[in-house]
Structures are given as C-alpha cells and as structure tokens.
Amino acid sequence: MRFVGGDELNGHFQEFEDQYLITMYDFFESNPGQRVRTGDLASSLKVSPASATEMVQRLASKGFIDYQPYKGALFTDEGLIRGTKMKRRHRLAEVLLETLSFEGDIHETACRLEHAINDDLEVTLSLLLGHPVNGPVTFGTEMPEPSPEILEKIQSSSSKIQFLHHLGEGQKGILHGMLMTDGDKAVLNGLGLELGMELQRSATGFTFADGSGFACSPELAAKLLIRC
C-alpha cells in the first residue's frame, strides 16, 4: 500500500478541480452565460452524477462556480479566469505535441501535461510556438487569450528561441536545434543545413548568411529551432 501525503493529495484534488473547470469552459465556449447541468458535466467527464454534484459544490465553495440545485452551474468571474487559463494550457500542450509529430493520443496526453504547466512554462511555450491563436489544426479550436499577467510576461520575456517558420521577413537567427525523424535528417543534410549556421527569412523563403537561398518546406521549418 502506498501512503499518499497531504501535498500529493491536494495536488490530485487540484487536478480534479481543474478538469471540471476545463470541461465547464468547453460548455462556456458553446453557450456563454448558459448554466450547465451537473448531469451534462457527469456525462462529459464520464463520472457519476453524484460525483459531479459533489465537485460542483466544492468548486462553488471556493468561489469558482455559481451553483443552483436543479438549475445547474455557471462560472463566476474568478472561475472563468481559472477555466480559461487551464484550457489555454491544454491547447498549448496539444499544439506542442502536434509540432513534435507525437504519434499517440494528443488530447489524452495534453490532459496530463496541462497540470504540469506553470506560468513560466506557459510563457515559454507561447513564445516557442509563435503565439498560436488556434489549437491543433486537427481539432479546429481557438486558443484562449493569455491572462493579463501572462501577456505581460510574454511581452517582456528575453527568450529568443523560436521555430524557423515563425521568423518574420528580414529576421535572422542561428540554427539552434532540430526536432525531426531520420527521414527529415536526410532532407536536412541535402540542404546543407548544420547547427550554428545563420539563417534569414526573405520575401520568397529562407537564405544562408551569404544570401543564397534554400528550399525549406513549411513542415521542415516548423521543426527547426532558431536563436535570434
């Protein structure tokens, strides 16, 4: 038998709470201002109605939810802030996994990763992924806006790492890393690209430091990390 300490137990409760808030946000996206029945929450989360009611009451006691028996649950202002933050982190995790060409279940894995993303990592992922305004293409979802605190950190960050395809015209940087398969490496070698090389975005594509151009597909450019 494994003993679960107080901090770990609290951590699990926090994850459960956040999962409910993320699900509440899904309903909010579809019908802003509409109350959500606990039965619908239970169905979405695949839990019993009694468990959903208990958690909704718990969230209401913390000020995240306005709950009225037989009428349903509605975000408070504080709850919407928290739900938006967690949904954004979930979708950032999905975009990251898609960028990494992850072959597993992106949504399920993002459900686990979202709880490990703190403010600093959210800022880093936002910068690295080029401030995405949408979730993964396969899901067709919008990216919730960052909170004012996160936006301020993004704007003041000194981080200079980004993917090659996020460079604007005229911007340049040093090839710093690569996320690719063996097949991608063969293509990379054929282009003559090596770590430490200076690359620049031009009006028609990408160039080396000497101004000569090279053909780089959007898919490959999305896997090359540049330090500006």
Side-chain angles (χ1 to χ4, degrees):
M1 180 180 294
R2 185 170 69 90
F3 174 74
V4 179
D7 290 342
E8 186 175 353
L9 191 59
N10 288 335
H12 284 307
F13 273 128
Q14 181 70 62
E15 288 185 14
F16 293 147
E17 291 175 359
D18 284 340
Q19 200 57 53
Y20 271 79
L21 293 175
I22 289 171
T23 305
M24 279 287 296
Y25 187 87
D26 289 335
F27 284 100
F28 171 82
E29 263 189 325
S30 300
N31 296 291
Q34 190 76 21
R35 287 189 177 273
V36 182
R37 296 182 301 175
T38 53
D40 292 333
L41 274 175
S43 178
S44 292
L45 290 161
K46 296 181 172 57
V47 300
S48 70
S51 294
T53 298
E54 182 179 356
M55 181 58 80
V56 165
Q57 291 172 335
R58 176 186 175 91
L59 291 168
S61 71
K62 291 190 169 186
F64 293 127
I65 295 293
D66 173 35
Y67 173 60
Q68 295 183 15
Y70 308 109
K71 291 186 177 180
L74 188 67
F75 269 136
T76 62
D77 290 343
E78 185 178 358
L80 180 56
I81 290 171
R82 180 68 185 177
T84 302
K85 177 187 285 286
M86 292 309 301
K87 177 54 75 172
R88 175 177 171 80
R89 291 177 177 180
H90 175 89
R91 288 182 179 158
L92 282 172
E94 288 180 332
V95 174
L96 175 65
L97 291 168
E98 187 176 63
T99 300
L100 295 174
S101 299
F102 180 68
E103 295 182 353
D105 188 321
I106 288 181
H107 175 73
E108 182 64 29
T109 304
C111 284
R112 295 195 295 271
L113 290 177
E114 67 201 21
H115 304 292
I117 299 176
N118 59 17
D119 286 2
D120 291 336
L121 185 51
E122 182 181 343
V123 170
T124 299
L125 289 176
S126 298
L127 292 166
L128 178 65
L129 298 171
H131 312 288
V133 296
N134 293 303
V137 174
T138 52
F139 295 166
T141 53
E142 291 185 5
M143 182 70 66
E145 292 290 331
S147 67
E149 295 80 7
I150 295 296
L151 181 59
E152 182 179 355
K153 288 185 177 183
I154 290 173
Q155 293 173 339
S156 63
S157 175
S158 60
S159 176
K160 300 298 182 183
I161 297 290
Q162 60 182 306
F163 287 104
L164 178 62
H165 72 145
H166 291 143
L167 286 182
E169 185 178 339
Q171 286 186 310
K172 58 185 176 181
I174 303 299
L175 184 57
H176 184 73
M178 311 169 188
L179 305 172
M180 54 189 58
T181 64
D182 288 339
D184 293 326
K185 291 178 182 177
V187 174
L188 198 71
N189 291 335
L191 294 173
L193 290 171
E194 297 179 358
L195 293 179
M197 300 183 86
E198 183 178 88
L199 306 177
Q200 182 170 354
R201 185 75 176 254
S202 68
T204 56
F206 301 97
T207 65
F208 293 108
D210 62 6
S212 60
F214 62 94
C216 184
S217 69
E219 293 76 18
L220 184 59
K223 298 178 181 180
L224 301 180
L225 290 165
I226 299 294
R227 179 180 291 278
C228 300

